[in-house]
Amino acid sequence: HNHAATKYLREHGGSVFNAALDAVLAGQMHVSVAAPDQQIRDEAAADARRKELLTALREARQIADDYQQQSWQSHDNEDEVVHKLGVLLQLMQHVAAGGADDPLFSLFRDHKTIHSLVDYYMIDSRPGPRKILLQLFGTVAALYPDDTYHVMNVQLPEALAESVLTLAEERDDDEYLIYNLLLLSCLCSSADRALPPKQLSHLSEKVVLSMMDLIEAGGSGDDDGGDGTAAFVATAALGAVLSLNMQFPPQCEQPGGWSEAKDGTNVVLRALQERESSSGLAHRILAMLSRGYDDDTVNFPLCLRFLADLFHHPVLAGFFYRNDMHVLLDITVQQLGDLDEDSEFRPSFLRIVHGVYTNANDFFDADHKRDKMRAAVERHRAWPHHDAAAVVAAIDTDTSLLGGD
């Protein structure tokens, strides 16, 4: 989905990653209906692949068990471990390409195997095995979120947070850093799958600020190329920040009236308050908003939730510079005008507009796209589950109260 990301990992991901990527791409190729003799050969191949996968799963569990028993010893088996885990990852990528229809789908729903590998990850700090395990965990989490998230969430967030802090400071292994950020995003991105409180406590303001430094170091994010590795690290860090924000109550809800969450537990918003501004973050958010859902189906909903929280916060509503606010209004007018009547994003966009005209009116020119914004919102008055009239009222607030110095 990201040419620059694929190019970077092609160059820096090593043979295991490239083999896995080749497997995924091969699995996505169209396969025509087979003749009877071809079906026999396919069935034989599938049976062989199942046996190969079972062998790889057993060997992976054996690696974990052996390492736990020998962890007090000094032994050098990293190459062997990386090879065996790499074989398992390649097979998993084949399953990921086939999806739920793949007959091997159920083999990864073995909690004992995942639990054993998570335990192994926690005691083997060598980067080689951990890089493979991070990719493996990400694949499993994507395939079977409801079955495996709770197994990984018990221990991994703390380890990921520690790794992000260390790797972000040292910047000597960006591939390793990227995998940590991507898995952290995967584990945090759903509000329906809350992290255990103990694990969430390790994702502190310090971790968020560290990720924000990575975002700033990556440039504006106006294009996919950016400045190479730093740009892709910044993209991964932004995904992690937006995902972590989903673990906390929204600043704005509409159960019958507008309200603000006042518990102040959101570490993402607390960290942002420690900075006067973050141009890299702002520009990347605007670029993501402009590209829309079709370009980024994962992060776009998280981006909308983040903006709604930002503009319903008494301090952070002024986070964007004036020119950036005008760009945001331009994009929002366009996006609201393009939304279908049944779009799932209508509530989020209306919350954002309400927050902008209620709390951020000192930070943009009062008449900038006002009429077009009102017209765009008026299209959504028929939506039965949201008071669009409240948004129109916010837009129509006396212009003497709007504008800034």
Side-chain angles (χ1 to χ4, degrees), residues 217-232:
S220 66
D222 291 334
D223 55 66
D224 288 334
D227 58 352
T229 304
F232 187 52

Side-chain angles (χ1 to χ4, degrees), residues 135-324:
Q135 296 173 75
L136 188 149
F137 292 146
T139 303
V140 171
L143 281 172
Y144 326 109
D146 294 332
D147 294 323
T148 57
Y149 266 92
H150 70 281
V151 179
M152 291 185 281
N153 280 349
V154 173
Q155 299 184 76
L156 285 180
E158 176 182 358
L160 295 174
E162 292 176 355
S163 294
V164 167
L165 286 173
T166 301
L167 294 167
E169 181 177 357
E170 297 176 353
R171 293 306 297 270
D172 59 352
D173 194 339
D174 281 344
E175 179 194 13
Y176 190 14
L177 174 58
I178 288 166
Y179 289 141
N180 276 274
L181 290 168
L182 292 177
L183 184 59
L184 185 61
S185 300
C186 191
L187 296 181
C188 293
S189 60
S190 175
D192 296 330
R193 290 185 286 269
L195 295 179
K198 180 181 178 181
Q199 292 298 314
L200 189 58
S201 69
H202 291 286
L203 299 171
S204 63
E205 292 175 50
K206 183 178 180 181
V207 176
V208 177
L209 289 169
S210 178
M211 293 191 291
M212 289 189 64
D213 288 339
L214 295 174
I215 295 171
E216 294 305 301
S220 66
D222 291 334
D223 55 66
D224 288 334
D227 58 352
T229 304
F232 187 52
V233 170
T235 299
L238 176 60
V241 170
L242 296 179
S243 296
L244 180 57
N245 185 60
M246 297 296 293
Q247 290 292 313
F248 300 95
Q251 283 292 117
C252 167
E253 297 186 58
Q254 212 283 329
W258 296 94
S259 64
E260 291 184 2
K262 301 186 181 297
D263 57 5
T265 59
N266 190 324
V267 297
V268 173
L269 301 183
R270 291 210 309 262
L272 287 176
Q273 290 181 73
E274 296 189 23
R275 295 173 177 259
E276 292 184 2
S277 65
S278 177
S279 60
L281 174 64
H283 291 162
R284 285 178 176 276
I285 287 290
L286 291 174
M288 186 180 295
L289 186 67
S290 178
R291 289 192 295 266
Y293 179 72
D294 290 338
D295 185 76
D296 190 346
T297 58
V298 175
N299 287 319
F300 185 70
L302 309 184
C303 173
L304 295 182
R305 161 65 192 277
F306 175 78
L307 287 171
D309 286 344
L310 205 66
F311 289 118
H312 282 86
H313 191 281
V315 176
L316 294 174
F319 187 77
F320 285 89
Y321 289 122
R322 183 179 296 270
N323 286 341
D324 291 338

Side-chain angles (χ1 to χ4, degrees), residues 316-334:
L316 294 174
F319 187 77
F320 285 89
Y321 289 122
R322 183 179 296 270
N323 286 341
D324 291 338
M325 285 295 299
H326 292 164
V327 173
L328 182 137
L329 292 172
D330 294 345
I331 296 171
T332 302
V333 167
Q334 180 66 43

